[in-house]
Amino acid sequence: MSYFIIRILMTLAFVSANATAQDYEYDLPIKEHIFENGLKLLVIERPGDTRVAAKIWTDMGALNEISGEYGSAHFLEHLMFKGTPTLGAKDWQTEKLLIDEINATEKTMIAELNRARNDFRERGVFHDYKHKQTTPELTRLQKHIDDLERKVEGLTDEGITMKWYQGFGGTRLTASTEQEYMHFDIELPVNRIDIFFRIEADRMTNAIFRKFDAERMILVEQRIGFLNRLNSRYLETMEALVGRTSNVYNPEGYMTDFKNYTRQYERYLYDTYFIPNNTTLVLIGGVTMDEMILKVEKYFGGLERKPEPTRYYGQEPLPSGEKRLIYRDNKLSPRVELRYQIPGVGHPDKPYFDVIKEVMLNRLQKTLDDKEIGGNVNVNTMVVHTNNYGLPSSIHFAALYEDTEKLDASEEAMLAEIELLSEENISNEELKFAQKTLRTEWYRAAADPNRLNFHIGHFEVMDSWKTLKPYLETRDRTTVEDVRRLVKQYFIPDNRSIGTVIPKRASQ
Amino acid sequence: MFPLGAQVLGQELIHPRDMEIPKSKFKRPDPAKYQVSLDNGLVAYVAKEDRVPLVSLSAFIRVGKIDGHKEGAAEVLAEAFLNSGPKNMSPTAFKAALKRMTARYSVILHNKWTEINLNVPTEDLEEAFKLLSAIVKSPNITEANIKAATEKAIKEIEVNKNGVIIDGSNSVAVRKFHDIILKDNILGKKLVSSDFEGLSIHDVERFYIAYAMAGNMTIAVSGDINEEVIQKKLKVQFSGLIDKTPPNHKNVPIIKYQKNKHHYFPADKLQTWVVIGQPLDQVLFKDEAAFEVMNYILAGGHFWTRMFIETRDKYGLTNDASGYIEDQWDGSGSYSFHTSSRHDVTKQLHDNIMDVIYGIQKGLVSDEELMIAQNALADGVYEMKFTDGNALARSFAIEKLRYGNHDRSKSYPMRIRSVTKEDILRVANDYMHPEAFQVIVVGEYTNLQ
């Protein structure tokens, strides 16, 4: 049954059939349809494809988290794999009573935690002092929740969403949460797309947070897996140096955050953001928009538009001073790294920085080699796990070495090379090569419906899918003057953070 | 209907079990439509895929680590393919050409075969085609390749003065597993410096000449191409390859089973990595599909497996616990389960993994498990191998090199759908031998006995 009327007249964005050579390069025949309840559907029709890459995007992520609960958006993604009353319940009537009791018990726990909050406050720099670790009441309540969870376990069918996706021939089943988004993904045979709508409409509306405490430990596992990498702590420290207020720079939860997650807060995030008017479906494959409108209506039509969620409007203060990190680690390669804040996607300057990144990647290595400083040069814009943000982030120039001997000379040479960009003309050849590299990277992404889907959805949550094509075209139009202008404006000492990795002294 | 309020009442919430699963419309493309055979016996697959202006070129050669009379020759040849390019240009010019084309280039040396992959923008097709064919026809083998291959081959896992592994990881645990089960087998050969000291450029060239035969390789070309033009280019560039029978490939002796044993390697990390596994006898053709379905249900590297549910979903013990079949092309390989955990739950993780292994050996899988696995493999994994021109050219080229025909891919869906619950129980017992499991622990010591 449908509770809404489809708005027929919607934007249909086509690339002209008489495509020019330039159009061919960024062929994005995206069709858009917005339903009455605010749900957005984006489709690229590829007649003849036997499969369809499907993703559901929610405009929320780590940007919406609060300090002390970093990673809670990512945790919500995990919880949303735990089923619904109609997915995974063997006896929902009985299970519901248990879940209600778990939630009520947690509320009592939160009250107890609040009552004794000064006892549990972590007061040490190295997390080494609290007045108390627990209270008898907290211990009793946690045991009660554990007992209830065990009873729930016997009433549920694990892995239910994955199971049915796989049973319908689904592949590349995954999900991801970053600063600005959460998405769930699947590729399916075209004639089985219904299972995507069936599961996702249910998941975004009726999720039950089963196995909450067991799943919490998966995040711990993922976190320690990340920390096992030699450079993880350095990168997080460097990211924290660059930004001051923006959640762009926060990791997916510190170890001290995981224990703080509550069902109550996760439910708040879920109820606030998982609403049709904050959701975009993106489909690429052998489907048509007309057919998909009918199917989406069938499965999502009953969802009501909800009040608009509170958005993140945080803004980084103006960069106002050069910052320096000295990081001591014996296992990490010595390095020097320069970071500058750059604008987010949606800002007209952002595409030019992709070109600057490529130009500098080639230039820096050559310069350091010519000066016999060598090193392994890297230029990138990766913050946490992501290259692009709709908020300011940073561009990084790094050179890694086997020892510390050349670090000072390397820093001096890199600063000089960046300075040169604002004075010396970049050759046409350099610029064209950078642009070719970026185009080729884009083609490789666009060749894969799954990756293309990601870029479209990502742009939609960062800015708008409509700005993706202009973004790519702007990179191709970048001139030497554009580069010089931006280097002069952005690569200034007050916008700079410098990181140096050196070994610990013997006594440390 | 469930009493959840109006929101749910407005939704279509039929259980997936009760939904119709429409029959897949997918049909495997006909390989004959893509196949190009040269007079010298070389077979290529050419497929147009013009959504983006890119071209992929691959060569697959049936020569691997275990081949040849001189140890290290395969490793040096792969190094030459990767870093030196063809004889008609210097390694520096070769690297510059790849960079100029913004190419993605890789060389992967397997135990029994080698693949060379080059992906470039269409505008560079002409240059890329000549480059790949020149690499395949006359690789520039140098002393620098021998040196680089030596350094890679003899690189040991780093340990500190107390014998603790410095950078423990899953790959370290897998390497230890291979060292143990492949001891004294040709698949586990350990190269040492002296292997390379006795190796000359001439030796590697002889090795290359012996195996780089037209009938011992296949080519895949796909992307934004004109198929007719590519067919002509193939003839021009590859007709000169000699059509001669390569030396017999080495037979791999059966990997010997060892008595179940635990092996502990200390590592200073926040997690412990565990690999549990055994040698795997060559799976008979009649059992291949059943074994694949069994592995899919047990631990097949995706979210919904018995192992994943009993370790991760229910108890939060690990981020991943999955099974890996190492298929060694006409010979025995290995079957292993890889996982990791915080130190304090390693024992429980190990026990839960063993429980599900014993479980699939004791009882029949359910009808639903069988149906899910069959659909996932026959309609999901299988379709993805032919999902576009790039995928199908690659799949057909490798299949032809390995089996000489395309019968296996043709019959795959039928074979998967013919598997019964009894077949699964049988292969689980015929091919899995917990009494021979080697258990590798890299991390903190835990008594798993």
Side-chain angles (χ1 to χ4, degrees):
Chain A
M1 188 189 307
S2 172
Y3 284 86
F4 71 128
I5 302 165
I6 303 166
R7 274 166 57 179
I8 300 295
L9 283 174
M10 283 294 126
T11 309
L12 292 179
F14 288 103
V15 170
S16 160
N18 301 315
T20 64
Q22 187 64 57
D23 286 335
Y24 172 78
E25 288 173 352
Y26 304 122
D27 187 18
L28 290 168
I30 300 167
K31 294 182 176 183
E32 179 187 78
H33 182 98
I34 302 172
F35 295 88
E36 182 75 5
N37 60 6
L39 180 75
K40 190 177 284 188
L41 172 64
L42 304 177
V43 176
I44 292 184
E45 299 175 351
R46 289 184 162 179
D49 277 14
T50 57
R51 298 180 74 81
V52 55
K55 293 186 196 291
I56 181 167
W57 291 79
T58 304
D59 193 340
M60 71 86 69
L63 288 182
N64 306 102
E65 294 168 352
I66 55 173
S67 174
E69 301 216 19
Y70 291 145
S72 49
H74 176 213
F75 187 43
L76 179 58
E77 171 210 312
H78 281 236
L79 295 171
M80 290 174 70
F81 274 98
K82 295 298 180 183
T84 68
T86 55
L87 290 173
K90 292 177 182 167
D91 175 0
W92 172 240
Q93 302 294 355
T94 307
E95 186 188 347
K96 184 175 185 308
L97 294 174
L98 293 168
I99 284 172
D100 288 346
E101 192 174 345
I102 289 171
N103 289 332
T105 309
E106 188 192 75
K107 281 190 169 62
T108 310
M109 274 183 85
I110 291 169
E112 173 67 4
L113 280 164
N114 287 343
R115 186 193 63 74
R117 61 188 174 281
N118 283 338
D119 287 338
F120 301 131
R121 187 178 297 206
E122 186 58 75
R123 294 164 194 273
V125 173
F126 295 103
H127 303 288
D128 58 356
Y129 183 77
K130 292 176 180 179
H131 290 326
K132 286 183 180 172
Q133 297 299 321
T134 187
T135 66
E137 178 64 357
L138 275 178
T139 304
R140 186 189 69 76
L141 291 167
Q142 184 60 55
K143 182 176 180 311
H144 186 50
I145 286 179
D146 292 344
D147 292 342
L148 292 166
E149 288 279 17
R150 270 191 289 276
K151 288 180 184 170
V152 170
E153 185 181 314
L155 298 169
T156 56
D157 190 2
E158 297 285 344
I160 188 80
T161 50
M162 289 83 90
K163 170 180 171 176
W164 287 104
Y165 269 141
Q166 291 166 209
F168 276 66
T171 50
R172 300 173 93 171
L173 163 59
T174 184
S176 178
T177 305
E178 292 290 351
Q179 267 61 10
E180 316 208 30
Y181 59 78
M182 186 188 300
H183 59 84
F184 294 90
D185 321 324
I186 192 72
E187 282 191 28
L188 285 160
V190 165
N191 60 357
R192 297 180 185 174
I193 188 66
D194 278 62
I195 190 68
F196 171 68
F197 300 132
R198 159 64 183 88
I199 286 176
E200 298 308 334
D202 197 11
R203 190 197 321 249
M204 70 172 279
T205 318
N206 308 308
I208 304 296
F209 300 160
R210 298 172 172 123
K211 306 294 293 183
F212 192 92
D213 289 314
E215 199 61 34
R216 191 199 306 266
M217 298 316 292
I218 304 297
L219 263 68
V220 172
E221 283 294 331
Q222 293 184 347
R223 175 69 181 166
I224 60 178
F226 172 74
L227 292 177
N228 277 333
R229 295 179 213 156
L230 295 178
N231 65 355
S232 297
R233 284 189 169 90
Y234 162 72
L235 290 175
E236 286 188 352
T237 310
M238 196 66 202
E239 278 151 13
L241 180 76
V242 175
R244 280 193 272 178
T245 62
S246 171
N247 274 7
V248 161
Y249 300 101
N250 294 328
E252 283 182 308
Y254 293 103
M255 293 299 274
T256 45
D257 289 331
F258 301 126
K259 68 179 188 310
N260 298 334
Y261 300 159
T262 62
R263 293 163 182 80
Q264 184 171 289
Y265 185 64
E266 297 297 334
R267 180 59 62 181
Y268 159 76
L269 288 175
Y270 181 74
D271 288 345
T272 304
Y273 295 101
F274 286 82
I275 57 177
N277 38 316
N278 195 41
T279 302
T280 303
L281 299 167
V282 184
L283 307 174
I284 300 177
V287 295
T288 67
M289 175 59 106
D290 290 345
E291 290 167 354
M292 293 305 103
I293 287 172
L294 296 174
K295 286 185 185 291
V296 173
E297 180 193 3
K298 176 180 173 185
Y299 291 96
F300 291 81
L303 310 186
E304 294 172 6
R305 180 188 283 273
K306 291 285 183 68
E308 284 296 318
T310 305
R311 298 292 178 184
Y312 176 85
Y313 291 111
Q315 190 174 344
E316 277 289 306
L318 268 181
S320 56
E322 186 166 346
K323 294 173 272 187
R324 185 175 286 272
L325 170 73
I326 298 172
Y327 192 87
R328 296 179 178 84
D329 191 305
N330 290 337
K331 290 181 180 173
L332 212 50
S333 302
R335 73 194 64 185
V336 60
E337 180 174 5
L338 315 177
R339 294 193 176 201
Y340 296 87
Q341 285 194 298
I342 58 171
V345 168
H347 190 288
D349 288 343
K350 176 64 173 66
Y352 302 122
F353 282 96
D354 292 354
V355 180
I356 291 172
K357 174 176 70 102
E358 292 302 328
V359 169
M360 284 301 284
L361 188 59
N362 294 312
R363 276 203 162 195
L364 269 186
Q365 187 71 66
K366 185 171 183 315
T367 300
L368 296 184
D369 289 346
D370 289 350
K371 290 178 186 289
E372 296 184 346
I373 300 169
N376 185 5
V377 168
N378 186 14
V379 182
N380 69 78
T381 55
M382 179 76 75
V383 178
V384 187
H385 311 120
T386 313
N387 275 308
N388 275 321
Y389 294 88
L391 295 167
S393 55
S394 49
I395 187 167
H396 321 143
F397 309 95
L400 280 67
Y401 295 90
E402 289 184 1
D403 56 47
T404 59
E405 188 187 341
K406 292 171 180 166
L407 290 184
D408 289 344
S410 180
E411 181 181 326
E412 194 178 319
M414 286 204 287
L415 287 169
E417 192 62 38
I418 290 169
E419 183 74 21
L420 266 183
L421 277 185
S422 66
E423 297 166 358
E424 183 188 79
N425 270 353
I426 301 170
S427 72
N428 199 42
E429 192 182 32
E430 278 182 286
L431 198 60
K432 293 294 170 204
F433 180 68
Q435 289 165 330
K436 178 179 177 179
T437 304
L438 291 167
R439 272 198 306 277
T440 308
E441 276 177 14
W442 168 255
Y443 299 150
R444 289 187 178 125
D448 176 352
N450 187 51
R451 288 177 66 193
L452 179 60
N453 191 320
F454 171 80
H455 284 287
I456 292 167
H458 194 184
F459 258 73
E460 176 63 15
V461 294
M462 285 190 296
D463 188 29
S464 163
W465 66 265
K466 292 172 188 167
T467 60
L468 172 56
K469 189 166 184 275
Y471 183 99
L472 299 169
E473 289 168 345
T474 302
R475 301 196 309 195
D476 278 343
R477 286 199 307 267
T478 301
T479 64
V480 172
E481 287 69 35
D482 293 324
V483 173
R484 287 166 67 181
R485 175 177 61 82
L486 294 176
V487 168
K488 277 181 185 168
Q489 187 180 353
Y490 286 89
F491 294 170
I492 58 174
D494 279 357
N495 188 31
R496 183 159 63 219
S497 300
I498 302 178
T500 310
V501 176
I502 58 174
K504 288 182 178 178
R505 292 193 205 102
S507 60
Q508 289 177 308
Chain B
M1 191 54 73
F2 298 89
L4 285 177
Q7 186 83 82
V8 170
L9 290 172
Q11 285 185 271
E12 177 75 37
L13 291 177
I14 182 174
H15 195 282
R17 190 177 290 122
D18 301 321
M19 290 172 75
E20 181 199 356
I21 304 181
K23 194 171 166 46
S24 171
K25 291 180 178 172
F26 176 78
K27 281 196 174 57
R28 188 203 64 162
D30 179 2
K33 286 185 179 172
Y34 303 92
Q35 189 173 314
V36 178
S37 299
L38 304 190
D39 292 341
N40 61 2
L42 181 82
V43 175
Y45 295 85
V46 179
K48 192 175 182 68
E49 184 61 55
D50 59 358
R51 286 216 169 91
V52 294
L54 290 175
V55 180
S56 291
L57 311 159
S58 294
F60 306 98
I61 310 172
R62 188 151 185 159
V63 59
K65 286 181 194 173
I66 66 166
D67 291 312
H69 300 295
K70 288 268 191 177
E71 299 295 2
E75 284 77 2
V76 174
L77 180 59
E79 190 63 34
F81 282 145
L82 183 65
N83 287 313
S84 292
K87 274 187 177 156
N88 61 2
M89 62 169 63
S90 69
T92 308
F94 169 61
K95 291 284 181 188
L98 291 176
K99 186 170 182 179
R100 188 171 58 249
M101 291 189 282
T102 59
R104 182 179 287 173
Y105 180 64
S106 66
V107 175
I108 304 172
L109 176 65
H110 303 272
N111 279 326
K112 296 188 177 180
W113 59 295
T114 301
E115 55 179 305
I116 306 171
N117 302 297
L118 179 59
N119 175 273
V120 296
T122 307
E123 67 193 57
D124 297 308
L125 170 61
E126 192 72 29
E127 183 180 357
F129 204 100
K130 283 181 185 162
L131 187 65
L132 183 85
S133 60
I135 293 166
V136 171
K137 289 188 295 185
S138 60
N140 184 19
I141 300 157
T142 66
E143 289 292 343
N145 300 142
I146 297 176
K147 190 179 172 200
T150 309
E151 284 171 5
K152 280 184 190 171
I154 64 173
K155 197 171 180 187
E156 295 286 342
I157 295 168
E158 277 188 87
V159 294
N160 68 15
K161 62 186 176 185
N162 299 317
V164 176
I165 294 169
I166 291 171
D167 196 8
S169 65
N170 178 62
S171 62
V172 167
V174 172
R175 193 168 153 189
K176 293 288 185 189
F177 169 68
H178 286 150
D179 288 350
I180 289 163
I181 69 157
L182 299 175
K183 195 178 172 201
D184 302 327
N185 187 287
I186 190 171
L187 292 174
K189 69 173 181 179
K190 284 278 183 191
L191 296 176
V192 294
S193 296
S194 56
D195 290 325
F196 293 95
E197 284 163 10
L199 196 66
S200 67
I201 291 174
H202 181 62
D203 292 331
V204 182
E205 283 178 338
R206 281 180 55 199
F207 174 77
Y208 159 77
I209 289 166
Y211 290 95
M213 306 288 176
N216 199 42
M217 72 172 74
T218 55
I219 304 282
V221 182
S222 59
D224 182 22
I225 54 169
N226 177 316
E227 294 103 311
E228 287 181 17
V229 171
I230 294 297
Q231 288 174 18
K232 285 178 189 162
K233 282 183 190 298
L234 284 165
K235 283 174 188 160
V236 170
Q237 296 294 342
F238 290 101
S239 288
L241 273 174
I242 300 167
D243 178 19
K244 208 169 76 175
T245 309
N248 285 337
H249 291 278
K250 284 187 183 171
N251 288 323
V252 177
I254 289 173
I255 303 169
K256 289 179 189 160
Y257 286 89
Q258 301 170 44
K259 197 177 166 193
N260 171 237
K261 192 175 174 186
H262 293 66
H263 310 265
Y264 166 60
F265 303 95
D268 182 19
K269 283 293 177 88
L270 300 168
Q271 282 170 307
T272 293
W273 289 270
V274 179
V275 172
I276 302 169
Q278 58 161 79
L280 178 66
D281 293 336
Q282 184 176 0
V283 179
L284 301 175
F285 177 65
K286 71 178 180 65
D287 295 335
E288 275 179 9
F291 188 71
E292 200 172 339
V293 175
M294 187 279 295
N295 176 58
Y296 195 89
I297 294 168
L298 176 65
H302 53 85
F303 286 121
W304 184 72
T305 67
R306 288 187 179 186
M307 196 170 283
F308 207 80
I309 288 168
E310 293 299 325
T311 57
R312 179 178 151 138
D313 283 357
K314 282 190 180 173
Y315 305 107
L317 301 174
T318 179
N319 190 45
D320 188 20
S322 295
Y324 295 86
I325 302 167
E326 279 189 302
D327 174 14
Q328 293 296 349
W329 284 35
D330 310 328
S332 59
S334 70
Y335 187 33
S336 56
F337 308 97
H338 307 175
T339 190
S340 63
S341 69
R342 53 204 185 274
H343 305 306
D344 59 321
V345 298
T346 304
K347 164 80 172 149
Q348 190 186 345
L349 177 61
H350 166 269
D351 291 352
N352 287 18
I353 287 173
M354 292 308 299
D355 280 349
V356 294
I357 291 169
Y358 288 129
I360 207 160
Q361 289 187 312
K362 281 180 186 161
L364 296 174
V365 300
S366 70
D367 290 332
E368 199 161 270
E369 283 179 312
L370 180 60
M371 180 273 287
I372 298 278
Q374 287 173 326
N375 285 0
L377 290 168
D379 298 340
V381 176
Y382 178 64
E383 282 190 23
M384 290 298 285
K385 288 182 180 174
F386 306 97
T387 191
D388 62 22
N390 298 319
L392 74 86
R394 178 182 169 82
S395 295
F396 284 143
I398 294 173
E399 185 181 31
K400 177 73 175 175
L401 185 73
R402 182 172 181 181
Y403 298 113
N405 58 53
H406 299 291
D407 297 346
R408 266 184 161 76
S409 65
K410 185 179 182 184
S411 64
Y412 182 86
M414 182 273 292
R415 287 187 287 123
I416 289 290
R417 294 208 182 281
S418 303
V419 172
T420 66
K421 293 189 283 185
E422 290 73 20
D423 292 334
I424 291 171
L425 184 61
R426 181 176 54 75
V427 297
N429 283 283
D430 286 354
Y431 292 97
M432 266 204 303
H433 304 289
E435 71 281 5
F437 278 177
Q438 303 304 304
V439 180
I440 286 75
V441 178
V442 172
E444 193 170 280
Y445 177 74
T446 308
N447 185 357
L448 300 176
Q449 300 283 2

